[in-house]
Amino acid sequence: MNSAQVLAYIPSPSQGVWHLGPIPIRAYALCIVAGILVALWWGSRRWIARGGQPGEVLDVALFAVPFGLIGGRAYHVLTDWRYYFTDLGQTLNPPRSAMDAFKIWDGGLGIWGAVALGAVGAWIGCKVYGIRLPAFGDAIAPAILLAQAIGRFGNYFNQEVYGRATDLPWGLEIFQRVPDNLTGVSTGVRTAIVHPTFLYEALWNVLFVLVLVAVDRYYRVGHGRLFALYVMGYCFGRFFVELVRDDPASEPFGMGIRVNSIVAVVVFGCALAYFLAAPRGRELGLSMYRPKRAAELEAEGKVGYIDPWADDDADDASDVDASEVDATDETDETDAPDSPSGPSISSSGPSISSSGPSISSTGPDDELRVVSATREIDAPAAEIFALIADPAQQPRFDGNENLAEAEDGQRVSAVGDVFQMTNTSGRVRENTIVEFETDRLIAWKPSEVGGPQPGHLWRWELEPLDDRVTLVTHTYDWTGLDPDDAKRNERARATTAESLLASLDRMAALFGADETEEADEFVQVADADDADADEAGADEAGADDAVADAEDEAPNIVRRSEAAETADTDDDDDVAAEEPESEADEEAESEGDDDAESEAEAEEDAEADADADDDADADDAADADEDPDNA
């Protein structure tokens, strides 16, 4: 040991308590209070940045902080009970007795108990104020860990929870204090040089705070997963710090392992399990609140401001060509039916008939920001609702040709539920349920995964007409989009009432055919009926007669992919060939010449329809590929 090493040692403070008259000012308490204040300040900023309301972190803290202090002290006393309730307490400096278990100002807070019981207090506070606990935990997680780093310096002033003896240059000097170690003043006599475990843990905490902030910024985790990551990070560092600590501690089961090491491993495992099981994405704005509180805030117009770190992939998407948009509008106008009885788009929302499908739009003539379509479907409301509420089924009846696939097991059941959908361009979008009434109403707002909601909304409304028939309305509402967001607004304009009606027609086809057949087969039911293919399929196709009649009068909304399917009738694997066999099928099979003639006529009709709508279909396809937000 040389003089350079001695000069590099970290000296302990000469005292940990100062007196202001009769009032003791304890450094340990000051460090704890400073950590709490920093956590409240930074946690509040993070909460507001996610769309929370000012003052809510403090409101919840009024429950969480007292619970945390009690939990931290209780854990410390329970794990070190021998030093409070047996003669072992007399061997410490200063000695301890049972009454000292209540002297929290003398130090001794177990972080495990503080976090556990503090979480209970936070849960109570969140329940009182209508806040979702996982979202709250994610917002304050880095702030809590920083508060722990600050609080560790209280151990430095108390000359406690230090490590084993060392001759490392950064060793911590421990001095003799009189009358005792906690309240006394240093005599200048050095009694030991030890590992500064308080500093190891504080530095690790600060380092992991930076990790949490980076993960939160670039990976945008939520639903309590960031809080779980904080717990895992702290446990990992604490496990290794415990390996060099030398202060008195319990070693349960005679294993020679400190109790905090065992707890660190168990808690790490629990946090990891939660991290892996919790939903992906992040809650922002009103989704951070329980439904009742969210409705109140929405009614008051208080939705918070958007997360400043939010990434908007809309900027990465291809720019919408203004000429294409103009062409789309022009095509829509030229394709509109001359017959007043057909569906049309206007502010008054005309309909085909009281029993047939209808389409409507609302808003100023030059800015139609709500479009909808309505039709009757021959199926009970409960069955239709079950189909809509299962995201994995939605691509089967998507008339926008925008949805590709969704994982199974995401069925939604309440406001606040979130599901993810992959669209045809390969982008994954997160959808948050904002309206829900079983068998009657469901609506969601799409966004990029973990990002803010731009403001548009998809809604399905079901009105049972009788036990077997349901009036279904499908609506696209983009009044909530930022008027200055030109790209999103242009893409929103490309969603027409005709495309919504196409979704309803596809859904009707699903319920109008045999459940074992695929959705692509059902689209051809009306064509099969027109071709008089068989009598056995007439009952199933009859449910779609109204749709076929309406389409004769309505603007042609057949998509290019459907026209191609109709035209491709040369293979035996064609949809018409997969219809259930019947007496009419056998007769059609035996009359090859008549069959070929019918197929040729169907092919000519499909090609004529496809040519008539070539420009409009191309524009619709381009818009569908370009819109990453429809879900």
Side-chain angles (χ1 to χ4, degrees):
M1 184 183 305
N2 54 45
S3 60
Q5 286 179 306
V6 173
L7 290 175
Y9 288 148
I10 303 173
S12 291
S14 60
Q15 61 192 97
V17 180
W18 299 267
H19 287 81
L20 187 61
I23 303 174
I25 308 298
R26 302 177 185 275
Y28 183 89
L30 292 177
C31 291
I32 296 297
V33 171
I36 293 173
L37 293 177
V38 169
L40 290 175
W41 170 77
W42 191 24
S44 183
R45 287 177 59 87
R46 285 177 52 80
W47 177 250
I48 295 173
R50 281 166 143 76
Q53 300 303 306
E56 288 178 331
V57 170
L58 179 59
D59 291 337
V60 176
L62 293 177
F63 293 88
V65 171
F67 273 76
L69 292 175
I70 294 172
R73 186 61 177 178
Y75 177 89
H76 167 74
V77 173
L78 290 174
T79 53
D80 284 345
W81 63 273
R82 294 177 301 165
Y83 299 100
Y84 290 95
F85 305 108
T86 71
D87 293 339
L88 282 177
Q90 300 304 310
T91 64
L92 302 179
N93 180 20
R96 295 178 186 171
S97 65
M99 291 304 298
D100 292 318
F102 298 98
K103 297 180 179 179
I104 193 172
W105 52 87
D106 283 344
L109 290 175
I111 189 60
W112 318 107
V115 172
L117 207 58
V120 173
W123 174 77
I124 296 173
C126 286
K127 193 171 181 63
V128 169
Y129 294 105
I131 297 170
R132 295 187 183 275
L133 181 61
F136 186 82
D138 288 334
I140 65 173
I144 292 176
L145 192 55
L146 182 59
Q148 290 176 222
I150 296 172
R152 272 301 172 200
F153 282 86
N155 302 133
Y156 170 59
F157 282 96
N158 279 359
Q159 286 193 152
E160 60 184 1
V161 297
Y162 45 77
R164 299 189 183 96
T166 183
D167 58 359
L168 292 173
W170 56 82
L172 175 67
E173 295 179 310
I174 301 297
F175 293 99
Q176 182 186 45
R177 289 179 178 176
V178 293
D180 58 61
N181 190 52
L182 291 178
T183 61
V185 179
S186 172
T187 62
V189 176
R190 187 174 65 199
T191 58
I193 299 174
V194 297
H195 281 283
T197 51
F198 84 91
L199 185 60
Y200 296 164
E201 186 172 324
L203 292 176
W204 170 255
N205 288 354
V206 171
L207 175 63
F208 208 75
V209 165
L210 300 178
V211 172
L212 291 175
V213 171
V215 169
D216 193 39
R217 175 175 179 178
Y218 295 110
Y219 294 95
R220 315 186 58 72
V221 298
H223 299 283
R225 297 174 75 227
L226 189 71
F227 190 87
L229 188 62
Y230 140 67
V231 174
M232 285 191 289
Y234 177 76
C235 289
F236 182 84
R238 180 63 180 270
F239 178 83
F240 290 100
V241 169
E242 286 292 324
L243 296 180
V244 297
R245 276 178 57 168
D246 196 37
D247 55 304
S250 297
E251 296 179 355
F253 313 117
M255 300 169 56
I257 302 176
R258 295 169 65 92
V259 64
N260 288 331
S261 297
I262 298 174
V263 174
V265 172
V266 173
V267 174
F268 179 92
C270 294
L272 176 60
Y274 180 90
F275 182 85
L276 296 176
R280 304 300 188 265
R282 175 196 292 178
E283 314 95 313
L284 289 173
L286 295 182
S287 65
M288 301 190 302
Y289 294 89
R290 296 176 181 273
K292 182 179 179 181
R293 179 58 176 160
E296 292 174 353
L297 291 173
E298 187 173 23
E300 297 171 6
K302 297 178 180 179
V303 296
Y305 64 86
I306 299 302
D307 184 353
W309 299 114
D311 297 322
D312 188 355
D313 339 337
D315 293 336
D316 299 331
S318 301
D319 290 342
V320 177
D321 189 358
S323 63
E324 292 182 1
V325 176
D326 293 340
T328 302
D329 294 340
E330 183 178 347
T331 304
D332 290 341
E333 291 175 4
T334 57
D335 286 346
D338 295 331
S339 172
S341 61
S344 60
I345 304 176
S346 69
S347 59
S348 60
S351 61
I352 295 174
S353 67
S354 60
S355 61
S358 66
I359 54 180
S360 64
S361 303
T362 61
D365 293 339
D366 60 342
E367 193 66 25
L368 303 174
R369 301 177 71 86
V370 179
V371 291
S372 65
T374 301
R375 69 156 292 165
E376 294 178 6
I377 294 179
D378 292 334
E383 293 182 12
I384 299 175
F385 190 86
L387 193 70
I388 301 170
D390 185 356
Q393 302 299 321
Q394 292 175 13
R396 300 176 64 194
F397 54 86
D398 172 35
N400 290 305
E401 299 286 359
N402 188 49
L403 308 183
E405 61 178 356
E407 293 184 4
D408 292 330
Q410 298 189 81
R411 193 187 191 287
V412 297
S413 58
V415 170
D417 285 356
V418 177
F419 68 90
Q420 292 188 350
M421 177 72 68
T422 302
N423 60 26
T424 52
S425 63
R427 292 186 174 90
V428 179
R429 285 295 174 264
E430 187 174 79
N431 301 274
T432 303
I433 304 301
V434 294
E435 300 173 11
F436 191 94
E437 183 180 350
T438 302
D439 298 342
R440 293 295 182 271
L441 170 67
I442 184 171
W444 57 82
K445 289 185 177 181
S447 67
E448 60 178 293
V449 177
Q453 297 169 356
H456 51 172
L457 174 144
W458 298 86
R459 179 185 292 112
W460 291 85
E461 299 170 89
L462 283 65
E463 180 184 348
L465 301 181
D466 56 40
D467 292 341
R468 290 295 307 172
V469 180
T470 304
L471 187 67
V472 182
T473 300
H474 187 23
T475 301
Y476 176 58
D477 183 346
W478 51 289
T479 55
L481 284 182
D482 183 356
D484 296 329
D485 191 340
K487 291 183 179 180
R488 292 192 188 278
N489 280 272
E490 290 298 343
R491 290 198 296 273
R493 292 186 185 97
T495 300
T496 64
E498 286 83 0
S499 64
L500 300 182
L501 182 59
S503 295
L504 291 169
D505 292 343
R506 285 192 172 190
M507 178 179 290
L510 289 175
F511 288 102
D514 191 271
E515 294 181 357
T516 61
E517 297 180 324
E518 296 296 329
D520 289 341
E521 297 174 9
F522 301 142
V523 178
Q524 304 299 329
V525 171
D527 292 337
D529 183 60
D530 291 340
D532 243 350
D534 54 62
E535 292 178 4
D539 290 340
E540 294 179 352
D544 294 320
D545 285 342
V547 178
D549 293 338
E551 287 178 347
D552 290 340
E553 299 178 355
N556 191 338
I557 58 173
V558 177
R559 289 162 291 283
R560 189 179 305 279
S561 60
E562 295 174 340
E565 289 175 2
T566 307
D568 187 13
T569 59
D570 293 334
D571 294 334
D572 291 337
D573 294 331
D574 198 60
V575 174
E578 293 178 12
E579 292 290 335
E581 290 188 3
S582 68
E583 197 175 309
D585 286 328
E586 294 173 0
E587 182 181 348
E589 234 175 22
S590 66
E591 298 175 0
D593 292 339
D594 293 342
D595 229 6
E597 183 179 352
S598 297
E599 291 174 357
E601 290 175 1
E603 180 177 356
E604 289 174 4
D605 291 342
E607 287 178 351
D609 289 342
D611 291 338
D613 288 303
D614 187 62
D615 292 337
D617 291 339
D619 289 335
D620 289 344
D623 289 338
D625 288 338
E626 212 169 82
D627 186 357
D629 290 322
N630 288 350

